Amino acid sequence: VLFLHVIVTDMKITFEDIAYTFMGILYVVPLIASVALIYGMDGNISGKLLIWYVFCAAWGTDTLAYFAGMKFGKHKFSKISPNKTIEGCVAGTLGSIILTIIYTIVMNNIFNMQINYVLIGIMGLILSLVGQIGDFAASVIKRHFEVKDFSNLFPGHGGMVDRIDSVICIAPFVYLFVTMLL
């Protein structure tokens, strides 16, 4: 279909355009599909409860990284994302661990689950690192195209991909953790 577009436009669309489009499809679609897979899970624990691990890890990381980076950040992490600091990244990881454990405490107490806190702490650590890598990956793409945000859909916050870059990278890992360990 993409190559057909080249033919129909009499080569006004280039191979590079096709490659970028294909990469965008491969980047977003399979990763976002993991969110649906988690949500649709029906086992010992409902996918409607498990999906919140994705958001706890992403939001815990992003929120604590932002505030700790603003308050304590002195050491820049990378030129790819110049506002990120090492202090923010470490705090973000702690934020993910803390929020996923708090969520597990709630699930264990309210829904009488028996989810292991150490396992969830390790999962929170890994998910945070994966989410931060996802955020940096999105930044690499934006730097390549010399744009600040993927779009101006949310003024001051960028586009939809800017809002979900860490979420879509975390989701496949939550799916793997849940299917293998819980």
Side-chain angles (χ1 to χ4, degrees):
V1 171
L2 294 174
F3 284 107
L4 183 60
H5 195 144
V6 172
I7 295 166
V8 170
T9 62
D10 201 25
M11 295 189 61
K12 290 185 177 120
I13 302 296
T14 66
F15 179 76
E16 189 174 81
D17 295 330
I18 291 173
Y20 291 144
T21 302
F22 189 66
M23 180 60 187
I25 292 167
L26 286 178
Y27 172 64
V28 176
V29 175
L31 297 177
I32 200 83
S34 298
V35 174
L37 286 173
I38 296 166
Y39 189 78
M41 293 179 90
D42 191 24
N44 294 342
I45 307 170
S46 167
K48 293 175 182 165
L49 296 174
L50 293 171
I51 195 69
W52 288 100
Y53 279 116
V54 174
F55 299 110
C56 286
W59 295 340
T61 299
D62 290 347
T63 302
L64 206 55
Y66 176 77
F67 287 113
M70 294 293 284
K71 178 79 173 161
F72 305 107
K74 302 245 187 289
H75 302 92
K76 298 296 180 189
F77 194 88
S78 171
K79 291 179 184 177
I80 293 169
S81 200
N83 292 329
K84 289 186 176 26
T85 63
I86 292 172
E87 294 83 0
C89 289
V90 170
T93 301
L94 291 174
S96 173
I97 294 167
I98 291 166
L99 201 53
T100 55
I101 289 174
I102 289 171
Y103 181 64
T104 304
I105 291 168
V106 169
M107 287 203 356
N108 282 348
N109 288 316
I110 293 178
F111 299 105
N112 297 318
M113 302 284 176
Q114 301 293 321
I115 301 172
N116 183 303
Y117 297 118
V118 174
L119 185 64
I120 292 302
I122 293 168
M123 183 179 86
L125 168 78
I126 293 168
L127 294 178
S128 177
L129 297 175
V130 168
Q132 291 181 61
I133 291 168
D135 192 36
F136 276 109
S139 293
V140 167
I141 294 167
K142 291 188 292 187
R143 296 304 165 260
H144 176 76
F145 289 104
E146 297 177 354
V147 296
K148 182 182 181 318
D149 297 320
F150 280 108
S151 77
N152 59 4
L153 181 63
F154 305 112
H157 295 278
M160 187 56 106
V161 176
D162 292 295
R163 295 292 84 215
I164 64 168
D165 52 11
S166 61
V167 168
I168 64 175
C169 288
I170 288 172
F173 286 86
V174 169
Y175 183 77
L176 287 174
F177 279 120
V178 168
T179 56
M180 292 173 33
L181 303 174
L182 294 184

